[in-house]
Amino acid sequence: MKAIIMSSAFLAGAVASDEPCTAPVKQPALYLTYHFDPPLKQQNAYDLSAETVWNHTSDMKKTHQYGVYAAHPVGFAGSKGEISGYFGTQVFGKAPADEVTLLFSIWDGRRSGTCADDYDPSLAPNATWCGALHAFPVTDTCKRHCNDCGLHPGWHNTTGVQCGGQKVTVSPGDAIRTRIHRVEADAKFTFAETPKIEYQGSVWRATAQVVSAAGVAAAPFEIGKIFFESLDGGLDRFSAFHEHIGCVPCSAFYESEIRRGPWEGGADARAPPAIVFTPPKNHPGCTKYDVAVDNDKHEAQFFSGPGTGQ
């Protein structure tokens, strides 16, 4: 069944005039919820893939600024706490017309209990180290990073790992298939800044591949690989968001992308989950967006900017 939320007329080629950007009138972040059966909280996933088709970005390119992030927030459950983050693709107005950027970011989690069961607390480099479940870069495409600190000055406890930055060239109708999966369940890791501690945990990998409009898939390549400290579970949260990068005025430009999936890999794979869109609350200043959900095709399409919404 196809459900269209806040459906309205489509107006391609619309780029608005100079509209000031303040929090009440900027484009809001839009979220999709995936209803797995059974839910991920009851049965974790260890291999999930999804696709994004950037089917209208030309008006953004005319601005030579701004950007949109099509991402999947993820959460990883374990007996000692949860680690979370997101991964996906970005398009920027100042970039070439056919260029898409990849990103995979994970935040350190908060440990439940003490680290003494895993290593000698006296080996920790500072007083707060023992209270965290750390993410460590495994591949050279990843680095320890203060995630989102540039967007939110003054934030604290935002350390983690960021991978990516690779650029992908796409043609009209191409999909970018991203995948996140566990590649090692019982891993050991030594971090250069704490050489006397041998961490126990698991290793997760994010990859991407371009799938042509005709369905021909190119070889996948690695966005990055990350070690999760003390993580003995799998994915217990997986959703999707569509977010304008920075403060983008409500009518700055028209943009659209299609989100497909997710699909689960492995012998016990579930059917693709039902997709649900709930309009954002407490954001009355900008309603120029639509989301069309088609659960028969396992996809949803985001529309934002002039000619959409109200």
Side-chain angles (χ1 to χ4, degrees), residues 25-188:
V25 298
K26 72 175 184 177
Q27 276 287 342
L30 306 175
Y31 290 83
L32 298 177
T33 302
Y34 298 122
H35 290 190
F36 289 84
D37 184 19
L40 292 179
K41 294 286 186 183
Q42 296 180 18
Q43 180 181 315
N44 292 173
Y46 296 88
D47 186 348
L48 289 174
S49 300
E51 293 182 352
T52 299
V53 180
W54 293 95
N55 61 325
H56 197 294
T57 61
S58 58
D59 290 346
M60 184 200 323
K61 299 297 182 178
K62 294 175 185 177
T63 71
H64 302 289
Q65 57 180 323
Y66 305 125
V68 175
Y69 189 16
H72 292 284
V74 290
F76 304 85
S79 59
K80 297 181 180 179
E82 182 182 81
I83 292 176
S84 62
Y86 48 67
F87 72 108
T89 61
Q90 299 174 318
V91 170
F92 294 96
K94 63 182 179 181
D98 55 358
E99 182 180 280
V100 177
T101 302
L102 300 162
L103 194 64
F104 176 28
S105 298
I106 295 293
W107 276 255
D108 293 339
R110 181 168 296 180
R111 181 187 294 274
S112 58
T114 175
C115 68
D117 294 336
D118 298 320
Y119 58 84
D120 182 351
S122 68
L123 299 176
N126 56 56
T128 62
W129 189 265
C130 195
L133 293 178
H134 298 91
F136 293 121
V138 175
T139 53
D140 58 10
T141 57
C142 306
K143 62 181 179 180
R144 287 284 292 173
H145 189 67
C146 187
N147 293 325
D148 281 356
C149 288
L151 294 176
H152 307 282
W155 271 28
H156 302 287
N157 301 321
T158 63
T159 55
V161 171
Q162 187 174 93
C163 309
Q166 301 97 331
K167 314 296 182 184
V168 178
T169 299
V170 295
S171 300
D174 285 355
I176 300 177
R177 181 180 299 158
T178 49
R179 178 189 181 197
I180 187 164
H181 61 122
R182 189 174 69 179
V183 293
E184 193 172 352
D186 299 308
K188 297 180 180 180

Side-chain angles (χ1 to χ4, degrees), residues 36 69 93 131 184 225 234 257 280 293 310:
F36 289 84
Y69 189 16
E184 193 172 352
K225 196 182 293 182
E257 90 267 0
V293 175
Q310 301 176 359

Side-chain angles (χ1 to χ4, degrees), residues 184-230:
E184 193 172 352
D186 299 308
K188 297 180 180 180
F189 187 83
T190 302
F191 185 50
E193 295 182 16
T194 55
K196 294 184 179 180
I197 299 175
E198 184 179 66
Y199 300 95
Q200 311 289 323
S202 57
V203 178
W204 289 74
R205 181 176 185 243
T207 63
Q209 65 185 135
V210 176
V211 182
S212 73
V216 179
F221 62 91
E222 191 169 77
I223 304 172
K225 196 182 293 182
I226 302 177
F227 173 88
F228 297 156
E229 179 189 353
S230 298

